[in-house]
Amino acid sequence: MTAPSFNWWRSDSHHGTPVVVKMENPNNWSMVELQSPTEDDFLNDNVSKGHNKNAKQLTWVLLLKAHRAAGCITSIAPATFFLASAVRRRLSAGRTDTEKTGKTGSRFYLFIKIFLWVSIILLIFEIFAYFKGWHFRAPDLDLGYLYSLKDGFSVKGLFDWVYSRWVWIRVGYLAPPLQVLANACIYLFLIQSLDRLVLCLGCFWIRFKRIKPVPKVRLPDLESGDNEGFFPMVLVQIPMCNEKEVYQQSIGAVCNLNWPKSKILIQVLDDSDDPTTQLLIKDEVHKWKNEGVNIVYRHRVIRDGYKAGNLKSAMNCGYVKDYEFVAIFDADFQPNPDFLRKTVPHFKDNEELGLVQARWSFVNRDENLLTRLQHVNLAFHFEVEQQVNGIFLNFFGFNGTAGVWRIKALEESGGWLERTTVEDMDIAVRAHLHGWKMIFLNDVECQCELPESYEAYRKQQHRWHSGPMQLFRLCLPDIIKSKISIWKKANIIFLFFLLRKLILPFYSFTLFCIILPMTMFVPEATLPAWVVCYVPATMSILSILPSPKAFPFLVPYLLFENTMSVTKFNAMISGLFQLGSAYEWVVTKKSGRSSEGDLVSLVESKEIQQAVSEPDLEKLEAELKEKEKKKKHNRIYTKELMLAFLLLTASARSLLSAQGIHFYFLLFQGLSFLLVGFDLIGEQIAS
């Protein structure tokens, strides 16, 4: 049973009634949409005829606005009902993110749980004190009144005596260290914000000056018969593991790359342990091989090293020595036919160039709120971080896919290593230490798919944030001993690793999820309003600039980023201290979505010609998808729920101190954690 989706943000929503209009020729038809007139229609209708607005038109405009407002108000009730129903189903199912182990066993979770119970007890204590007349307005406390409490006779009753001693403990012992920690996090916050501002200014400068990498050679059109251009031998690798939803479209897209057939070899590197999936992928490779494509299928029985081990095994094949470059595409990536023609020419007469990285585009970025918020993050990552670092530093983290490597650069850098879960970042750092340069092409895109469920996104983010800390521990000695300049060493250590991979998740979680609630119960330590509101809002605006269509989601983006800080902080700690979860590798769940417009155009131009699958394989695939669909369900995420109740408790305490902006931030941040904790964001599939 599918739970209702609250996709009022979808761009493809329709408000009119579609009508099919048949023409004289029965083979030709068109579809038009009847919509209610807008206020612009009323205001502009007579203007085009040379008339002015009148009272009747203004009345219609006001009625339209009132109708829309009433529609928004009436939609609140059913939305609330659906949310309550979804929460009830989650609670009745009883599935949590800890059900596999039976108990959390996590000190991090235990810390949050204890903090929550202490906060609830303190809230009850503070409410009772409030009605007893203890009214504080942080940060201006009536210290004179507190000094008068030294005299035991000035305290009336046992409760007043206990509360006065509690206040003195807060002032003398709790507030000073908490304020020091808060100030330290504020400084880290400002440093990271400055780094983001500098990146944005660098991106603006690139756009203003129209700076972009330009290849030294232009390739001729293959259809003209002129194959004398720069067409080196290219190896294309598609690593995959049990990704039955996307194998067809990725193999099909790679097999249609516009490159001389004698100059390209496609390796399908299948690590699947499911026999049915292996059979389907092998059959797909066989079909393309019969079409004349130079493609091979490789399967590993022992999946050592995950993706890194898969790529390393493929590079050990004897025929690899005949190839000069290798292009890598993950199983859900669909490169355009001209991908190699736009990337490989940059290697011509540029012997120091080791990597050309393309940008990702997403076929499902408007699928739900979760994918929209992910797109904001990744748009900033590619448009700003990758592009600025590529232009000014010739170094950035390889994204693991949609890139072309010079095989010589891979070999001189030590090849693929299985020591971390971020083998792509590992090889990029080692290549940079060996003097290889990198280019990022912001105008070359490769389509892929975003995780549509919170569970898949959460596991992906855990791997992406624990791996860099593993890598930092391992490669720090190599960075220090390398022969690159001091500036490049400082950039890798302090900016690339510490600031963007360690400090960012640390202060995001500590400042907004721990220190801010603590300051509500210890009001003598304070966080200024500009730290809670204005600077985060400014940074969110900067982050959303590369995706201007997402501006309506500015506030949800800010809240969701803070919500994800618990996962990123936990992952960072796991990687830094080599805890067990740091070595987890879970393939990101795919739904198999593709760009329908692109597929239709390819079919019409006969660029894709596939044989019909065997009936038994079609049946196997259908049964596999049905089986997988039954396994899907929503979970309850305990850490997020504990933090939700903690923040809501702190928001209630902030009312007693009349801290306006802090109350609203804690309230909405707590609600954000609550929605995520009950898995009400992203793919909505009920058990």
Side-chain angles (χ1 to χ4, degrees), residues 552-569:
F553 304 95
L554 177 64
V555 174
Y557 170 74
L558 172 61
L559 296 175
F560 182 69
E561 279 301 289
N562 288 333
T563 304
M564 284 303 302
S565 65
V566 60
T567 297
K568 297 176 180 179
F569 178 83

Side-chain angles (χ1 to χ4, degrees), residues 629-640:
K629 184 177 180 181
K630 292 180 180 179
K631 288 183 178 179
K632 294 180 180 178
H633 55 265
N634 296 102
R635 295 179 183 271
I636 294 176
Y637 297 97
T638 53
K639 293 187 185 71
E640 285 80 354

Side-chain angles (χ1 to χ4, degrees), residues 196 376 534-545 551 554-555 557-559 561:
R196 178 152 295 203
V376 173
Y534 305 122
V535 175
T538 303
M539 292 302 104
S540 297
I541 292 174
L542 292 179
S543 300
I544 216 167
L545 284 177
F551 261 99
L554 177 64
V555 174
Y557 170 74
L558 172 61
L559 296 175
E561 279 301 289

